[in-house]
Amino acid sequence: MPNILDYANPTRFLNFARIVLPWLGGLTLLLLVVGLYGAFTAPPDYQQGETVRIMYIHVPAAWLAIFSYVVMTSAALGVLVWKHPLADAAQKTAAGLGAAFTFVCLITGSLWGKPMWNTYWVWDARLTSVLILLFLYLGLIALRQSIE
């Protein structure tokens, strides 16, 4: 049985990833189908009606946007402390994913907010902090693109 620290070697990690990636892709596709089935077959809410279905996209996107930030933070720690190349690759990848999920969260939130609040945007703390999170992601991506 290999030690977990053996996968810190990029060659061993890439060999492991080559084996596990098709299985994880299949599991992701299965869970996506289950989630979409739940979104389209859920009954309408008594207050929000059919607009509650957007929560099947909006809430997971918000959670994944925040989780990507946590992954970026821990990967940055791995780069700063141990100067590990896989941590740098993880941070670079998590930034793009986090920006995409944050953008989806903002768009679906504004689409849901129009029928609920009668406006697409209100400057409250939650919405503004997610917008700032998007700007942080985009700034980090721009910074990484500008440095060779």
Side-chain angles (χ1 to χ4, degrees):
M1 175 109 189
N3 188 356
I4 192 76
L5 295 177
D6 291 342
Y7 295 113
N9 182 336
T11 305
R12 288 184 184 149
F13 176 77
L14 290 175
N15 288 335
F16 175 72
R18 194 173 299 114
I19 294 168
V20 173
L21 198 59
W23 292 97
L24 291 177
L27 180 64
T28 301
L29 186 64
L30 176 71
L31 291 175
L32 179 67
V33 168
V34 168
L36 287 175
Y37 176 77
F40 289 118
T41 59
D45 189 58
Y46 75 98
Q47 282 183 325
Q48 299 177 23
E50 297 294 338
T51 57
V52 76
R53 295 180 197 275
I54 205 164
M55 292 300 154
Y56 286 92
I57 298 170
H58 174 72
V59 174
W63 276 99
L64 286 171
I66 295 169
F67 180 70
S68 296
Y69 195 78
V70 171
V71 168
M72 268 183 27
T73 304
S74 58
L77 181 69
V79 171
L80 289 173
V81 174
W82 296 288
K83 299 193 183 346
H84 201 280
L86 288 177
D88 188 47
Q91 184 190 28
K92 184 177 181 181
T93 305
L97 288 172
F101 282 120
T102 306
F103 182 74
V104 168
C105 175
L106 284 171
I107 295 299
T108 56
S110 67
L111 290 175
W112 174 79
K114 178 62 176 169
M116 294 299 110
W117 300 329
N118 204 23
T119 183
Y120 287 108
W121 185 265
V122 290
W123 288 97
D124 73 338
R126 290 175 294 179
L127 278 78
T128 307
S129 64
V130 173
L131 183 64
I132 291 171
L133 180 63
L134 179 65
F135 290 154
L136 285 172
Y137 280 130
L138 294 178
L140 180 69
I141 291 170
L143 184 66
R144 288 187 71 101
Q145 292 291 326
S146 68
I147 298 173
E148 293 183 11

